[in-house]
Amino acid sequence: MDFLPFLSWACIVFTVGMFSTGLTDLKKMRESKSADNIQFLPFLTTCLNNLGWLYYGILKSDRTIILVNIIGALLQILYIIVYFHYTKQKRLVTTQTVAAGMVLTCGWFYFTTVLPEGDARLNQLGLTCSVVTVSMYMSPLTSLVEILRSGNVQCLSFPLTVATLFTSTSWVLYGYQLNDYYIVVPNSPGIITSLIRLYLFWRFASVNQSSPSYKPLLI
C-alpha cells in the first residue's frame, strides 16, 4: 500500500494548522491595538524559511512542499503586516525586515547564479534549509531549561506543541518515503522538542492549573 498520498495530505493539514496558530496573536493584536508581548522575529524567520523550502520544492518538483510553503509564507507575511501596523517599534521592525530581505536576495543570487543547475544546487539548498530549520527547532531549548527550573509553563502553547509534534512526525515519515534526508533530519528535532514540552506540561500541569490559558507562539 502506498502511504505517500496520505502522508502528503497529513503534512499539508498539520503544517497549515501549525502556521495558523499565529492567528491567535493576530487576533490579540487587533483586539488590543498593540503588538506588545508579541515576538516579531519568529514571523520573519519562519517566512524566510518558508521561502527557502518553497524554492527547494520547486527544484524538486514536489507539490506538497510547494503548497505548504506558499500558504506558510503568505500567512507569515500577513502576520508581519499586522505586526508592523500595531507595533510602536516601527524603525526596528523595518530594519530587521530590510536585513532579512537582503539575506534573501543574496541567497537567491547565490543559488540561481553561482551554483550550477542540477543536483549541486538542490543539495546545497536542501542542506541550507535543513540547517535553518534545525536551528529554529533547537532555539527554544534554553527557554525549556528555564521552565524546568521555574516550573512555570505559562509561556508555552499546548496547541502549538501538539501541532508541531504531528507536523514534524508527518514530515519525517514523508521524507522517509521519498528517501530525502533533507526533509527527515531537520524535522526530527521538532519531534524531540515537542515531546520535551509535553513532558513539561505533564510535570507542571498541577502547579499551573489555576492560571490562565497558555500563550501562543512564544516557544
Side-chain angles (χ1 to χ4, degrees), residues 11-54:
C11 289
I12 294 171
V13 171
F14 290 137
T15 308
V16 172
M18 184 179 69
F19 290 148
S20 299
T21 56
L23 293 172
T24 306
D25 279 346
L26 189 149
K27 180 180 178 182
K28 184 188 299 183
M29 287 187 284
R30 291 191 61 186
E31 290 177 348
S32 65
K33 307 297 182 183
S34 170
D36 294 344
N37 300 319
I38 305 293
Q39 296 183 12
F40 174 69
L41 285 181
F43 298 144
L44 191 59
T45 54
T46 302
C47 185
L48 289 178
N49 197 40
N50 286 146
L51 294 174
W53 282 111
L54 173 59

Side-chain angles (χ1 to χ4, degrees), residues 61 75 89 95 108 115 118 123 135 141 151 157:
S61 299
L75 282 173
Q89 299 179 317
T95 301
W108 176 263
L115 290 178
N123 291 334
S135 65
L141 285 181
S157 167

Side-chain angles (χ1 to χ4, degrees), residues 3 5 19 32 49-51 53 60 65 74 76 78 91 100-101 108 128 130 138 151-154 189 199 201 209 219:
F3 288 100
F19 290 148
S32 65
N49 197 40
N50 286 146
L51 294 174
W53 282 111
K60 195 176 174 65
I65 297 176
L74 290 176
Q76 302 310 316
L78 173 63
R91 179 175 296 181
W108 176 263
T128 302
S130 296
M138 301 302 287
N152 186 356
V153 295
Q154 291 305 299
Y199 167 75
F201 277 115
Q209 61 183 355
I219 293 183

Side-chain angles (χ1 to χ4, degrees), residues 14-210:
F14 290 137
T15 308
V16 172
M18 184 179 69
F19 290 148
S20 299
T21 56
L23 293 172
T24 306
D25 279 346
L26 189 149
K27 180 180 178 182
K28 184 188 299 183
M29 287 187 284
R30 291 191 61 186
E31 290 177 348
S32 65
K33 307 297 182 183
S34 170
D36 294 344
N37 300 319
I38 305 293
Q39 296 183 12
F40 174 69
L41 285 181
F43 298 144
L44 191 59
T45 54
T46 302
C47 185
L48 289 178
N49 197 40
N50 286 146
L51 294 174
W53 282 111
L54 173 59
Y55 186 37
Y56 181 80
I58 292 173
L59 292 181
K60 195 176 174 65
S61 299
D62 189 305
R63 294 180 180 179
T64 302
I65 297 176
I66 292 172
L67 178 60
V68 162
N69 286 285
I70 286 177
I71 296 174
L74 290 176
L75 282 173
Q76 302 310 316
I77 291 171
L78 173 63
Y79 302 153
I80 289 170
I81 292 172
V82 174
Y83 187 96
F84 183 81
H85 178 71
Y86 289 114
T87 186
K88 299 175 183 177
Q89 299 179 317
K90 286 184 168 55
R91 179 175 296 181
L92 176 61
V93 169
T94 301
T95 301
Q96 292 174 336
T97 304
V98 170
M102 293 175 63
V103 171
L104 183 64
T105 302
C106 292
W108 176 263
F109 177 80
Y110 174 74
F111 285 109
T112 58
T113 306
V114 178
L115 290 178
E117 295 184 9
D119 290 341
R121 182 180 296 180
L122 183 65
N123 291 334
Q124 186 69 43
L125 180 61
L127 179 61
T128 302
C129 291
S130 296
V131 170
V132 173
T133 302
V134 169
S135 65
M136 290 178 65
Y137 275 132
M138 301 302 287
S139 61
L141 285 181
T142 54
S143 299
L144 295 180
V145 172
E146 181 59 32
I147 291 170
L148 188 60
R149 291 174 179 172
S150 66
N152 186 356
V153 295
Q154 291 305 299
C155 61
L156 288 176
S157 167
F158 186 77
L160 180 58
T161 298
V162 174
T164 302
L165 177 61
F166 283 119
T167 300
S168 299
T169 302
S170 61
W171 279 112
V172 167
L173 295 175
Y174 183 76
Y176 270 124
Q177 285 285 312
L178 296 178
N179 198 30
D180 188 336
Y181 289 95
Y182 292 127
I183 298 176
V184 174
V185 173
N187 285 286
S188 298
I191 299 176
I192 297 172
T193 56
S194 296
L195 291 175
I196 293 174
R197 295 180 205 179
L198 288 175
Y199 167 75
L200 292 175
F201 277 115
W202 171 79
R203 175 69 175 80
F204 299 113
S206 59
V207 178
N208 297 274
Q209 61 183 355
S210 61

